[in-house]
Amino acid sequence: MRISVLGSGPGGYVAAIKAAQLGAQVTVIEKTEVGGTCLNWGCIPTKALVASAEMAGKASKFESYGIELRGEAVPDFSRIISRKNRIVNTQIKGIKSLFSSRGIVLKEGHGMLTSPREISVTLRDGQRERIDADSVIIATGSKPLQIPYLPFDGQRILSSDHALMLTEIPKSLIVVGAGVIGCEFACIFSALGADVTIVEMLPRALSTEDTEISKILEREFRKKKITLLTNIKAEKVDVKEDGIHISFADGRKISAEKVLVSAGRLFNSEDIGLEEAGVSKGPCGEIAVNERMETNVPSVYAVGDVVGGLLLAHVASAEGITAVKNIMGGNERIDYASVPNAIFTSPEVASVGLREYQAEEKGIKVRTGHMEFRALAKSHTTGEIEGLVKVVADAQSDRILGVHIIGPHASDLIHEAALAVRMGLRTRDIADTIHAHPTLSEVLMEAAADVHKEAIHVIRK
Ligand code: FAD
């Protein structure tokens, strides 16, 4: 079986490795750098910056841990960026080694389908090559969405890609959009010393998360002096020598050195030969696929951001593996209901399954349990006491429908909950499982017990 993979982000590169594991002959076509958005412009570089920002935040608290800092801790952005670049380059080398160890051929150039089983590649040196395959997996990803009144210029008006290429920390920054990317960058630049304002058209930050989680995050923003303006839409934008000035319909005006626009993503479904291959798109330009990741054309599959839905690296990889298994004769489907979501704000946010409002919209009667991190001894030892866990359970069956966390290591803690949602576990299954002490994981055990008002570390009034 010959499989060609167009794009080498977490969708494409994981699909390629899985295909090689299952015995296929694999060619990957990549026009920029292996690892895609995730490794070069997304998950990994931002998390390297998050780590530097956290370090800067910790430095200001050294004394409270009994450590005297002699001299000031000053972030040096060029070194922060060099560190980020080193991490990214190590991971790029890692993917290339994985490819060569499995005999995967990497063609570096722009690929376009010329038919359902053929890709034409314009290589970096300008030469053209045609690659035949029995099946093609399209994994071309997405790119930052531009808003007409704030066109990216890379100087004053930045996309998330531009923000990762800055050489200095801006003194002030307006972030347009309080979604995942906007909130993560707001926390990074605020911790590094920028004066940050977030503007959001919707009523709250992280509007797809549970409302209680958004409220706590907004409280934490206030503590960090990040200004959040909600229910607000820009009317006029002036880019001047001294910075960028935004006026809003209600008469308010704000100014900053730079603006970061994080208003969504655009699917990379243009200029890849979908028309030539007869592949259909959905209403927003995403490639239309079924649960098996098949497009309307039998030999063509599509995975990752370019098919829309949950724009997450681990979803792209899971879809890539599903596509490959189906190409190789399987009958796999993705279970989107138990996909964990991790947001690397400060504190972190993570969730799986239904939010309380979603369960109510579905007409399900729910019971909820809460537990604050400050109730855990472990949180006090590490000095990370902000946040809570909320468990949403079916009131009748006790089945866990969703878990929502804001707090330290939320991105790691969520996986016990993801397994519980996937396996259809009840709150008592988690509450009755002995959790090691002292650990942050105890918070989920206690939140599950709280659904039945049986949590130990709660003062009942
Ligand atoms: P991509 O990673 O976008 O890869 C597509 C690849 O295809 C690219 O390398 C591109 O160059 C290549 N390509 C496109 N067209 C062609 C062509 N014609 N020929 C050859 N090659 C082509 N997700 C998480 O799960 N966790 C996070 O913490 C997280 N943080 C993020 C932070 C930011 C700032 C951003 C922007 C995104 C973040 N994401 C995160 C989302 C994540 O990066 C994406 O969901 C993921 O990269 C999608 O993978 P993909 O393989 O579908 O596409």
Side-chain angles (χ1 to χ4, degrees):
M1 173 73 73
R2 293 164 311 161
I3 300 179
S4 289
V5 183
L6 189 57
S8 70
Y13 94 75
V14 171
I17 293 171
K18 178 50 75 181
Q21 277 176 354
L22 297 181
Q25 227 180 296
V26 187
T27 305
V28 175
I29 301 108
E30 173 54 60
K31 69 175 179 182
T32 57
E33 191 52 274
V34 294
T37 303
C38 177
L39 178 49
N40 296 283
W41 307 105
C43 328
I44 305 306
T46 52
K47 267 80 256 181
L49 298 196
V50 166
S52 292
E54 276 175 4
M55 204 53 87
K58 276 187 185 143
S60 68
K61 291 187 194 151
F62 269 17
E63 297 225 333
S64 66
Y65 289 78
I67 314 258
E68 194 186 320
L69 189 66
R70 296 192 182 153
E72 233 184 314
V74 182
D76 175 342
F77 202 56
S78 62
R79 285 165 70 181
I80 291 174
I81 292 293
S82 303
R83 176 179 181 272
K84 179 267 289 180
N85 291 341
R86 275 199 308 279
I87 294 164
V88 169
N89 289 333
T90 307
Q91 301 305 308
I92 288 172
K93 276 192 203 141
I95 295 178
K96 286 186 172 168
S97 306
L98 288 170
F99 278 4
S100 49
S101 74
R102 293 173 194 276
I104 296 167
V105 177
L106 174 64
K107 299 282 177 190
E108 294 185 305
H110 181 105
M112 275 185 78
L113 280 99
T114 43
S115 79
R117 289 195 168 83
E118 189 187 68
I119 295 178
S120 162
V121 187
T122 308
L123 296 165
R124 290 203 185 140
D125 61 8
Q127 290 197 26
R128 288 207 172 194
E129 209 173 302
R130 288 189 180 281
I131 299 164
D132 291 317
D134 301 303
S135 286
V136 168
I137 300 175
I138 303 172
T140 47
S142 65
K143 60 184 171 199
L145 177 74
Q146 198 154 244
I147 25 186
Y149 61 88
L150 278 168
F152 300 132
D153 62 15
Q155 298 299 316
R156 294 275 183 208
I157 308 177
L158 313 175
S159 68
S160 56
D161 293 2
H162 297 128
L164 292 167
M165 289 191 282
L166 287 174
T167 50
E168 282 177 14
I169 303 162
K171 285 192 179 52
S172 52
L173 180 71
I174 297 171
V175 177
V176 176
V180 174
I181 294 174
C183 288
E184 286 189 2
F185 272 109
C187 291
I188 291 168
F189 283 110
S190 163
L192 294 177
D195 182 3
V196 178
T197 304
I198 312 176
V199 295
E200 170 60 57
M201 271 168 34
L202 297 171
R204 60 188 175 99
L206 299 184
S207 60
T208 54
E209 293 301 319
D210 195 275
T211 41
E212 282 183 64
I213 301 294
S214 295
K215 270 194 197 132
I216 296 170
L217 184 66
E218 290 174 7
R219 183 191 75 199
E220 294 302 314
F221 280 171
R222 284 193 291 279
K223 285 191 201 163
K224 293 180 200 309
K225 307 219 176 330
I226 296 173
T227 308
L228 172 68
L229 306 176
T230 51
N231 288 313
I232 197 160
K233 195 163 181 248
E235 208 175 51
K236 190 164 169 273
V237 177
D238 285 320
V239 183
K240 293 192 180 154
E241 274 287 293
D242 65 338
I244 185 149
H245 307 270
I246 304 185
S247 315
F248 299 97
D250 62 3
R252 268 188 281 184
K253 286 183 186 161
I254 52 172
S255 305
E257 188 185 326
K258 294 187 192 289
V259 172
L260 167 62
V261 182
S262 52
R265 305 280 299 173
L266 195 66
F267 306 118
N268 287 332
S269 58
E270 297 291 326
D271 202 22
I272 56 169
L274 293 185
E275 298 74 17
E276 286 76 358
V279 175
S280 302
K281 289 199 249 182
C284 300
E286 76 282 14
I287 299 179
V289 287
N290 63 16
E291 286 173 312
R292 290 169 42 90
M293 311 319 296
E294 293 165 325
T295 67
N296 60 313
V297 176
S299 58
V300 182
Y301 291 67
V303 303
D305 280 10
V306 75
V307 305
L310 299 171
L311 307 192
L312 293 169
H314 41 289
V315 172
S317 300
E319 290 175 345
I321 290 172
T322 300
V324 167
K325 286 186 176 168
N326 288 333
I327 291 170
M328 302 302 276
N331 186 17
E332 299 275 328
R333 282 169 172 73
I334 297 261
D335 173 16
Y336 291 102
S338 59
V339 172
N341 187 23
I343 304 172
F344 298 82
T345 42
S346 171
E348 290 184 356
V349 169
S351 59
V352 63
L354 295 182
R355 288 81 176 112
E356 188 176 355
Y357 70 86
Q358 289 175 324
E360 281 165 358
E361 279 165 14
K362 285 174 182 277
I364 305 171
K365 207 161 170 285
V366 299
R367 294 173 78 164
T368 61
H370 295 76
M371 181 53 59
E372 298 203 15
F373 280 90
R374 66 177 63 245
L376 299 183
K378 177 63 188 252
S379 279
H380 288 270
T381 65
T382 59
E384 298 167 307
I385 59 168
E386 307 303 343
L388 56 73
V389 171
K390 173 176 176 179
V391 173
V392 179
D394 186 309
Q396 262 188 338
S397 65
D398 191 37
R399 195 175 157 154
I400 298 171
L401 302 173
V403 174
H404 311 277
I405 311 178
I406 179 164
H409 302 279
S411 61
D412 295 310
L413 294 173
I414 197 65
H415 296 98
E416 182 181 357
L419 186 64
V421 170
R422 179 154 183 257
M423 304 310 287
L425 299 186
R426 299 162 309 122
T427 66
R428 291 208 188 275
D429 293 319
I430 289 191
D432 295 347
T433 299
I434 299 171
H435 286 58
H437 177 74
T439 62
L440 293 177
S441 300
E442 291 171 275
V443 74
L444 184 56
M445 173 181 72
E446 285 276 71
D450 190 56
V451 171
H452 302 282
K453 304 286 169 260
E454 291 169 7
I456 299 296
H457 297 91
V458 171
I459 297 169
R460 293 266 171 243
K461 289 174 187 143

